[in-house]
Amino acid sequence: MTAEYKVHGAVAVITLNNPPVNGLGLSTRRAVIEGLNKANADAAVQAIVITGAGKAFSGGADIKEFGKESALQEPNLHTVIAQLEHSSKPVVAAIHSVCMGGGLELALGCHYRMAAPGTLVALPEVKLGLLPGAGGTQRLPRAIGVEPALNMIVSGESIQSDMLAQIPGQKLFDKLSGSAQTLAAEVLIFAQEVGERHVAGNEPLPLVRDLQCKHPKGDAYFGFVRNMVKGMSKNYPAPLKCVDAVQAATKRKFQDGLDFERELFVNLMWTPESRALRHLFMAERATTKIADIPADTPVRNIQKVGVIGAGTMGGGISMNFLNAGIPVTILETKAEALERGVATIKKNYEAQVKKGKLKEDKYAQRMALLSTTLSYDDLKDCDLIIEAVFEELGVKEIVFKQLDAVAKPGAILASNTSTLDVDKIAAFTSRPQDVVGMHFFSPANVMKLLEVVRGKATAKDVMATVMQIAKKIKKTAVVSGVCDGFIGNRMIEQYSRQAGFLLDEGATPQQVDKAVEKFGFAMGPFRMGDLAGNDIGWAIRKRRVVEKPGMKYSASADRLCELGRFGQKTGKGWYDYQAGKRDAIPSQEVLDMIDAHRKAIGITPRKISDEEIVQRLVFSLVNEGAHILEDGIASKSGDIDMVYLTGYGFPIYRGGPMHYASELGLINVVQAMQRFAQNPHDDAKFWQPAPLLARLAAEGQRFA
């Protein structure tokens, strides 16, 4: 059953029971109507309570129904709410833990509401590119006032019930229970009281829809808000539509406002931005599911973490665990390096304190969890050890052989390698089953992405443990198989190659960066190279000459590095930088170098459109992503999208490279690639569509 029905004296209790958050799927909606009808037909019942089992009242719509007909099948949520409003007996919502989206709309349809303190209340639909579609924009302003309601609806953020109960004149909560634990008992008493009162007085039951909804400044207020929201919601249509819907609540009759809200909701459902955000919502949850590892796989206990290397990566990685309350020991080979690393961690935390993002006592608590050492012996009691040393296999070999000698049995040994073979690294130990890749992205204490690289011998409980610990340190973990560059860097290599070819053919670094940034990327390829360090790519290309001598690159990036222009850290890269600033200033030296390089290889520059720039860069990601899926490196296209949305600045409102390609139509992508293959200065072999991409395009299918 997805909703349970029980009678306690004169009170019938309908308990939503659809784990994990009591989503309002079709079976749950039917069960609520069934319970409501049963209660109204029972002469002994005077009042009805609706509550939720487990750790939620209701999180809203059932995500399993997204995009399916069952989401609109009767009884839909509008019908359920209408039935609640028309109940002949008072209905009381007993709200606890989480009350969001359709769950809040359901509660607003009840006659009375009692909430437990600390309940998180929200209408988060805007985060999916939508607006509340079951009366939220019409009822919430009537319950708490126009301004507080509009703030909640446009932001989608949750607010605790205690704060909402303090809004002057609010009608959202009739009462707060003494505690979450006493809610069940208190609501039975309250329901009994309102039931007896209704029987005795035969008064009309209170409805939120009947409350007044006005704003003293009317159109002037909404004009001001609309300008504010417009400036903050570029590329996202939903926030402005939320403003329109709430304004309609102040100007139209309730049913007319409800109809207008529904029209806006349906239109938003078809926007590419909403489809992208809904894809992101589903893809993010799907990353935690590994096909051959059951959800109930036992995990190893991680009480203490060791980090090898106190540099930028090692320090950032350490901060993630310190933030989560997990003790960390950092190992370095020299005391000076340790001191620099700890000083950087302190500096990062102090900056947060100065900005008011971290309290002094929390800062002190985190630093108290940090210890340092120059000896591998001090890592013998660690449950998880992560190396963050130089990206060279010989260096990794030394580290892992020493770890194998000192780490306790069952300790997880992880490498932060961004490109190297995790199976080779595991072979340096006598326990390859305990070795896994944990590729953090820089800055590691900020970036959400964590590539979890599964070696051929990595134990299932190691994978389950790392996925769980990723959640604890608030990372989006995506599983990758073993290959050069894994998912993210394997794809970015093709993207970077195209950026180089574009320079050879006539584009400038500024033009390429501006084109993809206009498309929505957080940063173009050349600004990104300057931030990461151009010497990193140079080292990879030197390795490629030996491993894949036939792979074609533009030599312009090598010429840049030969000039010592490694990026922001040297004050000059593809751009010039002023001390203490990150502003990218076009460099005449670089433009002259590119021009000389073109002449040396006999290319006459041509005018290149922004459209071509974007297509070549983005479609290179798509084609390589399709190869990655075929090779089994990624298990699903949504995982690839999550890597690029959380680690590489791909525009969220476009849903990731694989989703974006599907939205364009894969046949259109393939046809563009065939055109690019005719370019004599490009790599025709690369532009042959991956077999998976070619097949899906021919069949009119999509990724995922």
Side-chain angles (χ1 to χ4, degrees):
M1 285 292 290
T2 53
E4 299 167 354
Y5 180 87
K6 290 183 180 179
V7 177
H8 302 264
V11 180
V13 179
I14 301 170
T15 304
L16 308 177
N17 191 3
N18 184 15
V21 294
N22 298 321
L24 297 170
L26 179 59
S27 60
T28 305
R29 301 194 301 269
R30 284 174 174 166
V32 170
I33 293 291
E34 182 182 332
L36 193 62
N37 291 338
K38 191 182 294 186
N40 277 307
D42 187 343
V45 170
Q46 294 183 341
I48 304 162
V49 168
I50 292 184
T51 191
K55 298 181 179 179
F57 171 75
S58 174
D62 192 332
I63 62 170
K64 298 170 191 165
E65 289 190 343
F66 275 22
K68 297 181 181 177
E69 288 184 10
S70 56
L72 301 175
Q73 271 184 267
E74 291 287 3
N76 60 39
L77 190 51
H78 278 281
T79 300
V80 174
I81 293 170
Q83 291 293 309
L84 292 174
E85 290 183 325
H86 291 110
S87 170
S88 61
K89 297 172 183 180
V91 182
V92 183
I95 303 167
H96 65 89
S97 309
V98 171
C99 179
M100 296 188 179
L104 178 54
E105 291 174 309
L106 182 80
L108 285 164
C110 296
H111 304 112
Y112 301 94
R113 286 155 295 279
M114 178 184 284
T119 299
L120 294 177
V121 181
L123 289 173
E125 287 84 354
V126 72
K127 295 184 178 182
L128 297 180
L130 299 169
L131 52 70
T137 66
Q138 304 303 297
R139 289 187 179 90
L140 190 62
R142 287 171 162 84
I144 64 172
V146 171
E147 291 191 29
L150 188 55
N151 287 337
M152 284 183 65
I153 293 167
V154 169
S155 72
E157 298 299 326
S158 60
I159 300 179
Q160 288 196 351
S161 53
D162 318 53
M163 294 181 64
L164 290 169
Q166 294 173 18
I167 296 174
Q170 66 85 22
K171 301 290 184 181
L172 178 58
F173 302 129
D174 298 276
K175 201 173 183 182
L176 289 183
S177 64
S179 68
Q181 292 73 28
T182 62
L183 174 66
E186 290 185 55
V187 78
L188 287 177
I189 296 170
F190 179 69
Q192 180 73 46
E193 291 173 355
V194 297
E196 290 174 353
R197 198 161 65 235
H198 176 64
V199 170
N202 199 25
E203 299 174 354
L205 291 167
L207 297 176
V208 171
R209 67 186 293 158
D210 293 337
L211 298 172
Q212 289 294 310
C213 184
K214 296 292 179 186
H215 191 280
K217 295 185 179 179
D219 291 347
Y221 166 74
F222 283 101
F224 168 75
V225 170
R226 197 169 273 106
N227 287 333
M228 291 286 290
V229 171
K230 186 177 181 180
M232 297 168 60
S233 62
K234 185 181 178 183
N235 301 314
Y236 295 94
L240 279 171
K241 297 302 180 184
C242 290
V243 178
D244 293 343
V246 173
Q247 185 174 23
T250 69
K251 298 173 78 74
R252 304 188 184 199
K253 292 180 179 179
F254 178 81
Q255 188 57 51
D256 291 342
L258 207 60
D259 293 342
F260 182 62
E261 174 195 83
R262 190 66 188 167
E263 179 186 341
L264 294 177
F265 177 84
V266 171
N267 289 339
L268 285 170
M269 280 284 287
W270 292 100
T271 61
E273 294 83 5
S274 180
R275 288 197 297 268
L277 291 170
R278 298 199 311 271
H279 167 69
L280 167 61
F281 181 85
M282 300 294 286
E284 186 168 17
R285 280 146 186 79
T287 59
T288 62
K289 296 175 175 64
I290 307 173
D292 65 332
I293 301 180
D296 59 355
T297 300
V299 297
R300 303 187 188 185
N301 191 21
I302 306 298
Q303 295 292 325
K304 185 177 180 182
V305 173
V307 176
I308 301 175
T312 301
M313 286 303 300
I317 291 169
S318 298
M319 289 179 70
N320 288 296
F321 293 97
L322 297 174
N323 295 347
I326 300 173
V328 175
T329 298
I330 299 181
L331 179 146
E332 258 293 357
T333 56
K334 295 181 180 179
E336 311 90 81
L338 267 181
E339 290 171 7
R340 283 197 304 272
V342 172
T344 300
I345 292 173
K346 286 182 176 179
K347 182 180 177 182
N348 288 336
Y349 278 138
E350 286 165 359
Q352 292 179 26
V353 172
K354 189 174 181 180
K355 293 176 182 176
K357 295 181 178 180
L358 183 68
K359 293 183 178 179
E360 282 281 2
D361 60 335
K362 292 289 185 185
Y363 168 37
Q365 288 171 17
R366 292 175 186 181
M367 290 306 299
L369 294 170
L370 179 64
S371 58
T372 60
T373 183
L374 298 174
S375 171
Y376 275 85
D377 289 336
D378 290 330
L379 303 180
K380 62 186 177 183
D381 60 342
C382 290
D383 305 296
L384 167 64
I385 305 172
I386 305 170
E387 66 78 12
V389 301
F390 187 69
E391 187 74 347
E392 202 279 318
L393 198 60
V395 178
K396 308 286 189 188
E397 179 177 5
I398 294 170
V399 169
F400 274 84
K401 284 184 174 179
Q402 292 189 75
L403 284 180
D404 194 35
V406 302
K408 68 182 182 181
I412 296 174
L413 309 182
S415 173
N416 181 53
T417 179
S418 58
T419 57
L420 299 177
D421 190 328
V422 170
D423 290 330
K424 288 182 179 178
I425 292 172
F428 297 142
T429 75
S430 61
R431 47 174 116 180
Q433 73 279 2
D434 295 333
V435 178
V436 67
M438 291 181 70
H439 176 211
F440 290 81
F441 284 68
S442 185
N445 55 307
V446 175
M447 296 294 286
K448 282 188 67 177
L449 178 62
L450 173 64
E451 277 186 320
V452 179
V453 186
R454 185 180 189 178
K456 63 184 178 183
T458 306
K460 290 183 178 180
D461 67 332
V462 168
M463 291 299 297
T465 302
V466 171
M467 297 302 282
Q468 183 191 74
I469 204 73
K471 189 174 182 180
K472 190 169 185 178
I473 62 174
K474 299 181 179 179
K475 297 296 182 188
T476 299
V478 177
V479 176
S480 171
V482 175
C483 69
D484 197 326
F486 315 130
I487 297 172
N489 283 338
R490 175 171 161 177
M491 290 169 65
I492 208 70
E493 183 171 11
Q494 302 301 336
Y495 175 89
S496 298
R497 284 208 306 147
Q498 284 300 313
F501 295 152
L502 286 163
L503 291 190
D504 290 351
E505 295 170 40
T508 65
Q510 304 93 279
Q511 183 193 0
V512 174
D513 283 348
K514 285 180 180 177
V516 292
E517 287 164 13
K518 185 178 179 181
F519 173 79
F521 272 88
M523 190 176 289
F526 298 106
R527 287 180 59 213
M528 181 179 68
D530 280 358
L531 178 64
N534 295 308
D535 51 327
I536 296 173
W538 196 23
I540 292 172
R541 290 191 299 278
K542 288 177 180 176
R543 183 156 56 89
R544 286 284 181 270
V545 172
V546 177
E547 297 170 348
K548 298 180 180 179
M551 185 173 278
K552 182 180 178 181
Y553 289 93
S554 163
S556 57
D558 294 346
R559 302 290 88 80
L560 184 84
C561 290
E562 288 165 4
L563 294 172
R565 301 185 69 100
F566 296 149
Q568 291 186 17
K569 59 188 174 185
T570 58
K572 54 184 182 177
W574 291 105
Y575 298 91
D576 291 331
Y577 298 90
Q578 295 178 352
K581 296 182 179 180
R582 292 182 180 272
D583 298 334
I585 304 168
S587 167
Q588 189 59 49
E589 182 182 29
V590 170
L591 295 177
D592 291 342
M593 178 273 291
I594 294 170
D595 187 54
H597 171 62
R598 287 184 193 130
K599 290 176 181 176
I601 58 177
I603 292 180
T604 301
R606 65 181 175 90
K607 187 174 182 179
I608 301 175
S609 70
D610 286 358
E611 180 184 26
E612 180 183 342
I613 290 170
V614 170
Q615 287 188 347
R616 284 173 65 175
L617 291 174
V618 174
F619 294 172
S620 69
L621 296 176
V622 174
N623 200 35
E624 192 64 22
H627 283 299
I628 284 171
L629 286 170
E630 283 182 312
D631 295 346
I633 300 303
S635 65
K636 43 194 178 293
S637 63
D639 285 356
I640 294 174
D641 286 334
M642 287 309 302
V643 165
Y644 268 79
L645 291 166
T646 59
Y648 291 87
F650 198 93
I652 289 174
Y653 61 90
R654 298 193 189 274
M658 312 310 278
H659 175 84
Y660 175 70
S662 293
E663 287 281 297
L664 283 180
L666 297 185
I667 187 65
N668 296 319
V669 174
V670 166
Q671 288 174 350
M673 289 169 56
Q674 290 168 345
R675 291 197 306 272
F676 300 151
Q678 305 304 311
N679 181 349
H681 305 303
D682 205 327
D683 183 349
K685 184 179 178 182
F686 170 74
W687 284 120
Q688 295 305 309
L692 173 63
L693 174 57
R695 177 174 61 80
L696 292 175
E699 295 173 355
Q701 300 293 316
R702 300 169 60 94
F703 289 114

